[in-house]
Amino acid sequence: VTLRTAFTELVGVRHPIALAPMGGTAGGALAAAVSNGGGLGLVGGGREEVDWLERELRIVTENTSKPWGIGFLSWGADGHVVERALEYGPAAVMFSFGDPEPFARVVRASSPTAKLIVQVTDLEEARRAVDVGADIVVAQGSEAGGHGGSRATLPFVPAVVDLVAPIPVLAAGGVADGRGLAAALALGASGALVGTRFQASHEALVDAEVVKAILNGHGEDTERGRVLDIARRSPWPERYTARTLRNAFVERWRDRPDELAADTATLDDYQRAASRGDMDVVAVWAGEAIDLITEAQSASDMVGTMAALAEESIRHILEP
Amino acid sequence: VTLRTAFTELVGVRHPIALAPMGGTAGGALAAAVSNGGGLGLVGGGREEVDWLERELRIVTENTSKPWGIGFLSWGADGHVVERALEYGPAAVMFSFGDPEPFARVVRASSPTAKLIVQVTDLEEARRAVDVGADIVVAQGSEAGGHGGSRATLPFVPAVVDLVAPIPVLAAGGVADGRGLAAALALGASGALVGTRFQASHEALVDAEVVKAILNGHGEDTERGRVLDIARRSPWPERYTARTLRNAFVERWRDRPDELAADTATLDDYQRAASRGDMDVVAVWAGEAIDLITEAQSASDMVGTMAALAEESIRHILEP
């Protein structure tokens, strides 16, 4: 038995699980592994160079015959790169954080088949997703790792479901196991988009130290803020803060973002420390659900396990 | 068919729903209505005077023959008042926000039957709840209306379930309809504790203006902070901020709590404006799930409707 939803039907996957297109982390190998496991793998277009993206898109096409996709940042994507990516034949293209309208037009003009996924962090963005003709809406809560907004997943998802119906919704933020997936479905979502859990997989492009920090960390060790974006001289829009593991650098600068931005010497030091992987400064993107992540696995196995446990969790409610 | 859980069995109620013991709002009439509807009504002991509490306890005992209970604030309760309340025969007594240990001893010493419910906002508090022998643990997320902590319900609940097993857990924060209850159960909780939704009931002790604000408000109109506690000269511990509807007073003072605390003239003005019900200043405790609350109902009806919709939501996952 499998959990069939509007999402699994629309994109033709077995399980209602999508990989969050984590920039730099969700490469072709991870996306292919998630797709081979029965979910929808999404390569993280993020802020990477087009050469990186094309290499990862070749890897995903060579490693799976199942549907897969790509995710871009609406505030930072380049229409030509999106067009180029579409030539690799993704089943879905996702846009997050910013106005998706220009890219929605690119996708519609360039591909007759690619589904348009739009991620939203508040109700206004959800309305905009409907306006631009999204095929799938991702409602992302603030417990998500990495960048996001300020709504919490549990009350936000049903509000988005009601607002965008009948467009299928994926829940994102705080889902790291079968129970979280079951909860997403109970809230009326057609599946879940999962990030941090897949960071702790064999196929993710992450350092071993980062995986170790995620496996050992707790939700209370994470926080949202702008300090690490400022430190990285990253041009993320202010409204999208990032959830990371707390570290010495965050503790030091949390309350002084403007001072940090103006302190060139500290920013240069940061860059040097980050590039040698100093865990006191690097941004370990991590969602609040890391309490539930205790071992690294193959991403393909994670998909099947999560789906099976979600179904078990749901059946258990009716037959305790 | 009903949703049976460890919670419904333990306290002898029909539906896995408890009323959040909202101070001043959850009086005897509301608690009795929730209990009569098949949930567990909890009178809000809060910061009220003992005369208020005894009056409301008489009301609840006169209006229901079903199990009901009382909730107290661990940081502000008086052991003698707890003893007095126990004489009214509650099926459960709940303690929130602070160390429950002294009160756990009072409950055990004074009542052979009352179940001990401990509400927690982080994993350390959850460990403490186990240590003091809680019969039921409430895992409260920051999307809750009123006072609380900083964890989000969806990832926090399963982490608490794992930590305190086999003690049954209720999810609190962000649950305002059947889908939220279904999600709580999917996360492994044995039910949900619901506040804001019951504030918009006929039986709640709230002004009509407050109910109207809740029905019209959206999750994005709420925020957590200390400003209104400072304004009310309320001695709440700093770590427990309160989620309220945003208003002009909050906007004005959000970033200057220390300045506000020292500004006696403003505090006096606040008190006058609040006592005449000025909606630009009063604290309207409201959770993020208010998007889902669109009409005021009888609390008894709410319980049955929420349980029925939760079951429908769960069955729909297995048979779309």
Side-chain angles (χ1 to χ4, degrees), chain A residues 11-310:
Chain A
V11 296
V13 294
R14 184 176 169 84
H15 300 304
I17 297 168
L19 167 66
M22 301 172 283
T25 301
L30 180 53
V34 169
S35 289
N36 287 335
L40 180 70
L42 294 168
V43 173
R47 302 273 302 150
E48 303 302 326
E49 298 301 319
V50 63
D51 289 351
W52 183 93
L53 187 60
E54 294 216 58
R55 185 186 70 213
E56 298 303 326
L57 293 180
R58 278 194 298 274
I59 293 174
V60 72
T61 54
E62 285 162 11
N63 285 282
T64 188
S65 55
K66 300 286 176 64
W68 58 273
I70 319 166
F72 292 101
L73 302 173
S74 298
W75 64 266
D78 174 327
H80 297 295
V81 174
V82 174
E83 276 176 4
R84 192 69 180 266
L86 282 162
E87 292 170 13
Y88 288 80
V93 188
M94 173 167 158
F95 296 91
S96 306
F97 312 123
D99 185 8
E101 200 273 336
F103 305 108
R105 278 190 287 115
V106 169
V107 172
R108 295 313 188 197
S110 309
S111 169
T113 54
K115 303 301 177 200
L116 177 65
I117 307 178
V118 176
Q119 178 162 261
V120 304
T121 62
D122 62 27
L123 296 178
E124 191 184 322
E125 290 183 347
R127 273 180 215 105
R128 184 75 180 146
V130 176
D131 289 345
V132 306
D135 297 305
I136 296 159
V137 172
V138 179
Q140 189 216 38
S142 63
E143 44 270 70
H147 290 85
S150 56
R151 294 296 312 262
T153 304
L154 195 141
F156 183 48
V157 167
V160 173
V161 166
D162 290 345
L163 187 68
V164 309
I167 301 171
V169 171
L170 299 181
V175 177
D177 67 9
R179 292 173 292 186
L181 173 57
L185 299 173
L187 292 170
S190 298
L193 181 101
V194 177
T196 310
R197 178 68 190 252
F198 286 121
Q199 248 196 116
S201 70
H202 304 321
E203 297 87 350
L205 298 172
V206 287
D207 290 342
E209 284 298 304
V210 167
V211 173
K212 203 171 129 191
I214 290 171
L215 298 181
N216 292 336
H218 292 283
E220 288 142 35
D221 306 329
T222 70
E223 69 178 67
R224 278 204 164 275
R226 294 178 52 230
V227 161
L228 295 176
D229 281 340
I230 294 169
R232 300 183 309 133
R233 294 184 163 103
S234 174
W236 269 88
E238 278 194 26
R239 60 175 297 196
Y240 302 115
T241 56
R243 184 176 295 280
T244 63
L245 284 176
R246 198 173 294 124
N247 62 27
F249 194 89
V250 169
E251 302 268 16
R252 195 173 317 130
W253 291 100
R254 182 194 292 124
D255 300 324
R256 296 178 290 156
D258 297 336
E259 194 182 327
L260 173 61
D263 186 342
T264 317
T266 296
L267 297 181
D268 290 345
D269 285 349
Y270 180 90
Q271 194 173 6
R272 279 186 291 271
S275 59
R276 65 171 184 265
D278 181 344
M279 295 296 285
D280 283 343
V281 314
V282 293
V284 177
W285 319 109
E288 250 194 80
I290 56 171
D291 297 296
L292 312 173
I293 305 174
T294 53
E295 58 169 344
Q297 280 177 288
S298 136
S300 291
D301 292 347
M302 283 179 185
V303 175
T305 304
M306 203 178 286
L309 292 177

Side-chain angles (χ1 to χ4, degrees), chain A residues 151 162 179 186 220 288 313, chain B residues 123 151 162 179 186 288 313:
Chain A
R151 294 296 312 262
D162 290 345
R179 292 173 292 186
E220 288 142 35
E288 250 194 80
S313 178
Chain B
L123 296 178
R151 293 296 312 261
D162 290 344
R179 292 173 293 187
E288 250 193 81
S313 178

